[in-house]
Amino acid sequence: MAHLSNGTMTHASAITGNTDKKPTPWHGAGAAEFDLRSDTMTKPTASMLEAICQTTLLDDVFNEDPVTNELQSYVAQITKHEDSLLVLSGTMGNQVAIRSHLAQPPHSVLCDHRSHIICYEAGGVSAWTGATVSPVIPQNGVHLTLEDIKKHAVLQDDIHYCPTKLISLENTLNGMIMPLDEVKRIVEWAHANEIKVHLDGARLWEAVVAGAGSLSEYTSLFDSVSLCFSKGLGAPIGSIVVGSQDFIKKARWFRKSIGGGARQTGVIAAAARVALTETFGTDPKGQTGKLAATHERAKQVANLWTSRGGKLRYPLHTNMIWLDLESSGVGPNDLAEIGQQKGLRLSGGRVVVHYQISDEAIARLEQVFDIALKGDFKRSEDTSKPYGSK
């Protein structure tokens, strides 16, 4: 990795034309401080800008950029995989990985019915692979189990059915953790039946920080994993896919085919590296970074809601609080409308705590909950789907 200066923002200020050293938009949390819609709402930091200013600017299509290559090597190392590939988004990471695993139809991909790959990625699996996507409802309402998988996987060669060739798991899903022991059971069974397993680990960082297992304990089990730098970690852009050398070679080809072969990717990789180091941390369980504090704050938010009589839709495992608005007598977009009056950005019944949310934002959120749950606000009749679950 290129050397990153420990100096102040002097160099960065010069780059941005801020020669009088006034604070730039990179300083402070800005609007992110009061935005609880998603953990994608974080603002890139001054240290990320400094890293970008010091980065290398060579061509990643030719595998020549040192900062990008160092990031890929580092992530492969900490996930205990042979290689990795920087991609522009979590959707690109999942789609490139799934396309790289699948060859010739007929084939199907089995996943949780709430998974991003089926709900929030524009039908990419079917469009790019010709695969049937088989959504499964977990019996326990939280995460898939091996029993769920066995019940729906197609192993026989009966020509009436579409054989299962890939299982795609997601961790976390709606902020909820799939336990490490269950992951092991599913992957061992899948491999025994010659089925590949991919992990959409966009928010795996959160499961690790919550104590579910180390990063490599999870990632080393899978044939491929996608990890996101812009969800929770706070980088402005970028995800990464890990796998074997042969798999990544193939994935690089498919990344190029969908327009993901970016050039001077050092500007992306440098900020991602800072996000990984500062926000997740340098230890395998993420205890030296900034994420752990967000989980404690999420517990505080959940308590503010339930102590006033509100109910939760899902159990709280990490940094996402799902409020059961209907059973709590609150309209689908009431919180967003009340929040707007209090200077907060909210959406539906999902409250996401990221590391730039302030004490002041939590205090304002408490006021929003008071108004909503006391019935002092006219229930919204807007039934349109609020800002979603990305």
Side-chain angles (χ1 to χ4, degrees):
M1 183 176 183
H3 175 68
L4 303 182
S5 170
N6 292 322
T8 63
M9 289 298 299
T10 304
H11 182 61
S13 296
I15 293 293
T16 57
N18 187 36
T19 54
D20 57 2
K21 299 182 183 179
K22 292 180 180 178
T24 74
W26 292 79
H27 290 83
E33 179 183 353
F34 301 107
D35 198 328
L36 294 114
R37 291 175 297 168
S38 176
D39 50 4
T40 62
M41 299 302 173
T42 49
K43 197 188 80 171
T45 63
S47 58
M48 293 179 191
L49 175 58
E50 176 67 9
I52 291 170
C53 291
Q54 300 291 338
T55 196
T56 52
L57 297 170
L58 298 180
D59 195 319
D60 182 52
V61 173
F62 291 94
N63 300 332
E64 292 176 352
D65 184 68
V67 168
T68 302
N69 291 341
E70 192 279 336
L71 174 68
Q72 291 172 159
S73 296
Y74 176 69
V75 174
Q77 174 191 342
I78 64 175
T79 59
K80 288 187 167 42
H81 277 270
E82 291 179 351
D83 206 352
S84 72
L85 180 67
L86 182 68
V87 292
L88 301 183
S89 69
T91 295
M92 181 180 286
N94 285 332
Q95 296 304 320
V96 164
I98 291 170
R99 181 64 187 87
S100 299
H101 282 307
L102 297 178
Q104 176 64 43
H107 46 208
S108 65
V109 178
L110 190 150
C111 66
D112 190 296
H113 72 117
R114 303 160 297 180
S115 294
H116 276 71
I117 67 163
I118 191 172
C119 294
Y120 302 106
E121 296 188 0
V125 176
S126 297
W128 287 108
T129 70
T132 297
V133 183
S134 300
V136 178
I137 299 174
Q139 190 67 33
N140 60 27
V142 177
H143 60 80
L144 290 176
T145 64
L146 177 56
E147 288 67 34
D148 296 323
I149 299 290
K150 285 182 174 180
K151 186 176 180 179
H152 293 88
V154 176
L155 303 180
Q156 66 268 37
D157 56 4
D158 188 320
I159 62 172
H160 295 89
Y161 304 104
C162 187
T164 303
K165 296 297 182 182
L166 179 69
I167 296 169
S168 180
L169 303 179
E170 186 168 338
N171 206 4
T172 64
L173 196 162
N174 287 342
M176 295 181 291
I177 296 170
M178 177 177 285
L180 185 59
D181 287 346
E182 196 61 53
V183 172
K184 289 178 180 177
R185 294 179 69 222
I186 293 171
V187 173
E188 287 174 3
W189 177 86
H191 287 170
N193 287 279
E194 299 183 344
I195 298 173
K196 299 288 188 181
V197 190
H198 170 69
L199 175 65
D200 178 352
R203 293 183 171 98
L204 182 62
W205 319 110
E206 306 290 354
V208 171
V209 169
S214 72
L215 182 65
S216 62
E217 282 178 321
Y218 270 106
T219 55
S220 61
L221 297 172
F222 292 88
D223 298 291
S224 62
V225 182
S226 62
L227 298 158
C228 193
F229 298 122
S230 62
K231 287 180 179 173
L233 298 193
I237 186 173
S239 290
I240 201 161
V241 178
V242 301
S244 69
Q245 288 183 345
D246 288 343
F247 170 82
I248 293 299
K249 182 178 180 180
K250 191 174 183 182
R252 186 178 293 274
W253 200 328
F254 286 120
R255 184 190 69 171
K256 177 65 175 176
S257 75
I258 61 173
R263 297 297 179 175
Q264 284 71 45
T265 55
V267 296
I268 299 172
R273 188 66 163 89
V274 170
L276 182 54
T277 300
E278 294 186 353
T279 313
F280 177 70
T282 55
D283 63 301
K285 296 189 176 181
Q287 298 305 301
T288 59
K290 301 174 182 177
L291 287 185
T294 68
H295 293 192
E296 293 305 311
R297 184 158 275 172
K299 292 176 185 176
Q300 179 186 357
V301 170
N303 183 63
L304 290 175
W305 178 258
T306 57
S307 65
R308 287 165 170 75
K311 300 185 185 311
L312 297 180
R313 182 179 171 190
Y314 296 129
L316 175 63
H317 289 176
T318 54
N319 65 321
M320 281 190 192
I321 309 98
W322 288 86
L323 313 178
D324 191 335
L325 299 181
E326 186 173 357
S327 70
S328 303
V330 179
N333 292 301
D334 286 3
L335 295 183
E337 294 181 23
I338 302 169
Q340 188 173 20
Q341 298 173 10
K342 299 295 182 180
L344 295 181
R345 303 202 74 175
L346 299 164
S347 177
R350 188 182 79 159
V351 178
V352 185
V353 178
H354 56 76
Y355 77 95
Q356 291 176 333
I357 294 296
S358 66
D359 290 338
E360 173 62 25
I362 301 301
R364 296 185 191 184
L365 185 62
E366 185 173 7
Q367 297 173 28
V368 172
F369 288 172
D370 276 334
I371 295 171
L373 290 171
K374 285 180 179 177
D376 295 338
F377 185 80
K378 181 180 178 182
R379 179 169 174 149
S380 171
E381 297 179 356
D382 184 359
T383 58
S384 62
K385 189 173 183 179
Y387 180 84
S389 300
K390 283 301 283 180

